[in-house]
């Protein structure tokens, strides 16, 4: 079949990788469907992109922030017009069902309009000076050239979470999209270009993490790195960035628990668990991967949940009747398989699924059955390690306090959910769950762009996207204006 060839975007020009090499972007539902060939970039391509971003920074930083924001408003409007096409492109390259890829594009639209408002805020502070006739304030400054490394599971939303706040703050960007899903980043950046973004302000270098990402992290002219991906890679990114003292925002794994108490609305809890576990084929860092069931409802919940998991329709996400798309690639299938084996070896019971789907049309892509494991105990590896696939564990408990303890007994801390009608317990859980996000009577997935997004423990290193991204993409400058016309020595001339 014929397929398009895409180039890197460097200083406003579309350029192939210097090596001439490309990486094929395949539809995970049908590997014979080639979405396109994308550059396989190396350090020399990264160097060109960083140089272009550095050049563009000299002028972009001086564009008034409200004007920078207008580019985002126009980009948001363009994305609205192209939503259907971009959603279809995304389902083709990533696999998740159309309803979800429409949501992914919508998240970028929401982000554009939310962050555009920052163009007329970017607030600093004024504060009294300790000296007379002296004025003190703080202002937000851009950081400079920033490097953005994004994952395949939210191929447009997550790039928008990074690009838009970086841009409104006056930075210029080099983005390395995920190897599996570069097209959605191209579509997002095309919307920015059509909205009037000047050349060089955003540059794209496609390629693998090692060959493209590492030189970006290490480049001396890159002033900050924002990364979303696995904790394993995030640890590497953080260590490399530390060598050149770069601020680095790391958004990583989860092992998110939904707790269901005896008094919960059971149907609601079932709906939430099903969506949280198998939405995006379980490939969200916020996905529900542990369902903690109080013993009074455990048997009833389990029977209903297993029946509903077995009834889910798995297939090509472009088919509107499909509920669960493929996994993104063969490596992810291997991980799901491996974790089911580990769980069974440790004594868990297979209640639904557990295997790759390979018959008929499934053989064209990378599909895995929605999988439910019962009899899981909190110390098993399946209860502690991230799978990033359609594999969920059921864990039973006696008391509310035990549930909180189990929920917190892992190395991650991204999202949590509690289903109950008891308002006292709800507020105790909000206080006690160790996670960046807690939902009450709603699933672990579904964050909105204008709240802080991120986690504690091995999920992150303290930064937040959404509300919080501007803090990462700006640096504070303290400003003192002395209008006394004499030397005034702080801590000395005004001391008793
Ligand atoms: C992710 O999985 O990396 O809250 C992001 C959610 C989405 C974002 C998920 N809005 O599930």
């Amino acid at each position: 079949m014929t397929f398009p060839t895409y180039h890197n975007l460097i200083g406003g020009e579309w350029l192939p990788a210097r090596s001439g090499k490309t990486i094929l972007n395949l539809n995970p539902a049908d590997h014979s469907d080639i979405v396109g060939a994308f550059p396989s970039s190396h350090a020399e391509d990264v160097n060109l992109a960083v140089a272009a971003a550095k050049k563009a920074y000299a002028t972009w930083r001086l564009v008034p922030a409200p004007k920078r924001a207008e580019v985002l408003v126009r980009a948001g409007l363009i994305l609205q017009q192209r939503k259907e096409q971009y959603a279809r492109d995304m389902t083709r390259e990533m696999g998740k069902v159309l309803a979800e890829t429409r949501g992914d594009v919508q998240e970028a639209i929401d982000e554009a309009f939310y962050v555009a408002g920052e163009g007329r805020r970017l607030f600093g502070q004024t504060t009294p000076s300790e000296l007379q006739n002296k004025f003190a304030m703080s202002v937000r400054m851009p950081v400079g050239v920033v490097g953005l490394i994004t994952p395949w599971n939210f191929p447009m939303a997550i790039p928008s979470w990074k690009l838009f706040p970086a841009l409104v703050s006056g930075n210029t960007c080099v983005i390395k999209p995920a190897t599996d899903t570069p097209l959605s980043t191209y579509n997002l950046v095309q919307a920015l270009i059509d909205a009037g973004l000047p050349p060089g302000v955003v540059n794209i270098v496609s390629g693998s993490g090692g060959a493209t990402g590492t030189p970006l992290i290490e480049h001396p002219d890159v002033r900050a790195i924002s990364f979303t991906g696995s904790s394993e890679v995030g640890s590497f990114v953080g260590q490399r960035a530390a060598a050149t003292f770069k601020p680095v925002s790391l958004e990583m794994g989860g092992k998110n628990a939904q707790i269901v108490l005896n008094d919960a609305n059971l149907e609601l809890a079932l709906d939430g668990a099903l969506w949280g576990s198998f939405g995006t084929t379980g490939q969200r860092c916020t996905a529900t991967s542990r369902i903690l069931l109080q013993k009074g409802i455990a048997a009833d919940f389990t029977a209903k949940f297993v029946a509903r998991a077995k009834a889910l329709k798995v297939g090509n996400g472009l088919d509107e009747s499909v509920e669960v798309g493929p996994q993104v690639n063969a490596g992810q299938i291997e991980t799901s398989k491996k974790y089911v084996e580990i769980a069974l070896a440790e004594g868990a019971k297979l209640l639904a699924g557990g295997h790759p789907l390979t018959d008929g049309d499934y053989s064209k892509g990378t599909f895995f059955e929605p999988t439910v494991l019962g009899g899981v105990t909190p110390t098993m590896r399946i209860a502690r390690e991230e799978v990033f696939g359609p594999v969920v564990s059921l864990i039973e408990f006696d008391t509310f306090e035990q549930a909180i303890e189990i929920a917190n007994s892992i190395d991650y801390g991204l999202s949590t959910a509690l289903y109950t009608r008891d308002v006292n317990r709800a507020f105790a859980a909000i206080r006690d769950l160790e996670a960046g996000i807690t939902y009450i009577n709603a699933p672990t997935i579904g964050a909105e762009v204008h709240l802080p997004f991120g986690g504690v423990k091995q999920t992150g290193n303290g930064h937040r996207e959404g509300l919080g991204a501007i803090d990462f993409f700006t640096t504070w400058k303290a400003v003192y204006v002395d209008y006394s016309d004499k030397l005034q020595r702080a801590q000395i001339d005004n001391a008793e």
Side-chain angles (χ1 to χ4, degrees):
M1 76 178 274
T2 57
F3 51 83
T5 296
Y6 294 84
H7 295 324
N8 287 325
L9 177 62
I10 295 176
E13 284 182 74
W14 297 102
L15 300 173
R18 281 294 178 94
S19 68
K21 293 205 176 101
T22 57
I23 300 173
L24 291 184
N25 179 356
L26 304 183
N27 178 342
D30 179 358
H31 289 169
S32 67
D33 177 24
I34 300 169
V35 177
F38 287 79
S40 174
S41 308
H42 291 82
E44 50 195 3
D45 306 299
V46 171
N47 292 345
L48 290 173
V50 173
K54 195 176 173 187
K55 186 164 167 238
Y57 179 64
T59 46
W60 181 247
R61 74 185 184 91
L62 300 178
V63 174
K67 290 283 158 202
R68 297 194 295 248
E70 284 172 19
V71 176
L72 300 187
V73 173
R74 289 194 295 271
L77 293 170
I78 292 168
L79 289 171
Q80 276 180 334
Q81 286 162 13
R82 300 180 188 165
K83 181 171 169 180
E84 189 59 23
Q85 182 56 47
Y86 286 175
R88 285 179 181 276
D89 284 351
M90 195 188 299
T91 294
R92 246 184 101 204
E93 71 170 346
M94 188 271 167
K96 63 185 173 182
V97 298
L98 269 177
E100 291 192 42
T101 51
R102 289 182 190 124
D104 195 312
V105 179
Q106 185 59 45
E107 205 161 328
I109 296 166
D110 296 345
E111 178 77 6
F113 296 152
Y114 165 55
V115 174
E118 281 303 322
R120 287 187 184 270
R121 285 190 290 266
L122 288 178
F123 294 134
Q125 303 101 10
T126 61
T127 183
S129 165
E130 64 192 43
L131 294 157
Q132 276 190 356
N133 298 323
K134 194 171 177 187
F135 190 89
M137 62 185 160
S138 64
V139 292
R140 289 181 183 273
M141 307 296 284
V143 176
V145 177
V146 296
L148 313 176
I149 301 175
T150 54
W152 46 260
N153 66 334
F154 276 80
M156 186 174 286
I158 292 181
S160 82
W161 293 1
K162 300 186 192 300
L163 281 170
F164 294 170
L167 292 173
V168 85
S169 305
N171 304 288
T172 56
C173 307
V174 177
I175 183 165
K176 190 206 89 65
T179 322
D180 283 305
T181 60
L183 178 57
S184 297
T185 292
Y186 279 68
N187 287 340
L188 180 68
V189 173
Q190 190 61 54
L192 283 166
I193 294 168
D194 296 341
L197 192 77
V201 174
V202 171
N203 305 273
I204 309 175
V205 279
S206 271
S208 71
T212 316
T214 305
L216 184 60
I217 298 161
E218 291 177 342
H219 200 295
D221 288 336
V222 173
R223 298 280 182 241
I225 295 286
S226 180
F227 166 86
T228 299
S230 69
S231 295
E232 194 188 348
V233 177
S235 167
F236 170 84
V237 172
Q239 290 178 51
R240 286 298 173 105
T244 45
F245 306 107
K246 286 185 181 66
V248 52
S249 168
L250 302 173
E251 205 56 69
M252 302 169 290
K255 191 73 197 174
N256 311 295
Q258 171 177 320
I259 303 170
V260 187
L261 299 185
N262 287 339
D263 74 342
N265 175 340
L266 210 65
E267 289 305 317
L268 184 69
L270 280 161
D271 286 343
L274 208 72
W275 171 230
S277 305
F278 301 120
T280 323
T281 320
Q283 300 172 125
R284 293 198 194 204
C285 54
T286 51
T288 305
S289 55
R290 298 180 294 158
I291 304 175
L292 277 44
L293 300 169
Q294 198 162 19
K295 289 210 168 122
I297 49 87
D300 192 14
F301 183 100
T302 301
K304 289 179 172 148
F305 184 71
V306 168
R308 288 185 64 178
K310 283 181 174 165
L312 288 169
K313 183 169 175 189
V314 181
N316 188 327
L318 291 171
D319 172 347
E320 299 264 9
S321 69
V322 163
E323 294 166 291
V324 180
Q327 289 211 256
V328 76
N329 59 36
Q332 293 302 128
I333 296 282
E334 285 312 308
T335 306
S336 296
K337 241 169 78 176
K338 180 185 90 181
Y339 272 104
V340 170
E341 282 160 17
I342 291 170
L344 298 183
E346 285 190 309
K349 290 186 194 61
L350 190 58
L351 304 180
H355 310 97
L357 286 157
T358 51
D359 289 350
D361 278 353
Y362 290 131
S363 67
K364 296 182 189 166
T366 39
F367 294 93
F368 202 86
E369 294 172 319
T371 298
V372 184
L373 293 159
V376 174
T377 59
T379 53
M380 292 181 184
R381 283 183 64 191
I382 192 66
R384 314 183 65 79
E385 298 176 22
E386 186 174 46
V387 180
F388 223 69
V391 179
V392 66
S393 298
L394 307 185
I395 302 172
E396 297 187 13
F397 65 88
D398 288 305
T399 65
F400 170 70
E401 290 71 25
Q402 271 176 354
I404 299 288
E405 201 181 309
I406 296 168
N408 289 344
S409 68
I410 48 158
D411 292 331
Y412 296 109
L414 182 54
S415 187
T416 43
L418 173 70
Y419 281 76
T420 183
R421 288 175 166 123
D422 181 338
V423 69
N424 296 353
R425 291 223 163 104
F427 274 90
I430 292 167
R431 182 193 58 202
D432 294 338
L433 285 169
E434 294 171 4
I437 307 171
T438 294
Y439 291 92
I440 303 297
N441 293 326
T444 60
I445 66 177
E448 300 174 31
V449 299
H450 55 297
L451 279 83
F453 185 92
V456 298
K457 300 195 259 184
Q458 290 185 18
T459 292
N461 63 342
H463 296 286
R464 289 293 181 268
E465 308 207 82
L467 180 76
I470 297 291
D471 290 330
F472 183 72
F473 287 113
T474 56
T475 177
W476 284 116
K477 176 176 282 192
V479 181
Y480 302 89
V481 180
D482 192 322
Y483 55 99
S484 70
D485 235 7
K486 62 182 184 203
L487 172 66
Q488 300 199 85
R489 297 174 301 174
Q491 295 92 35
I492 296 173
D493 291 335
N494 60 348
E496 289 302 310

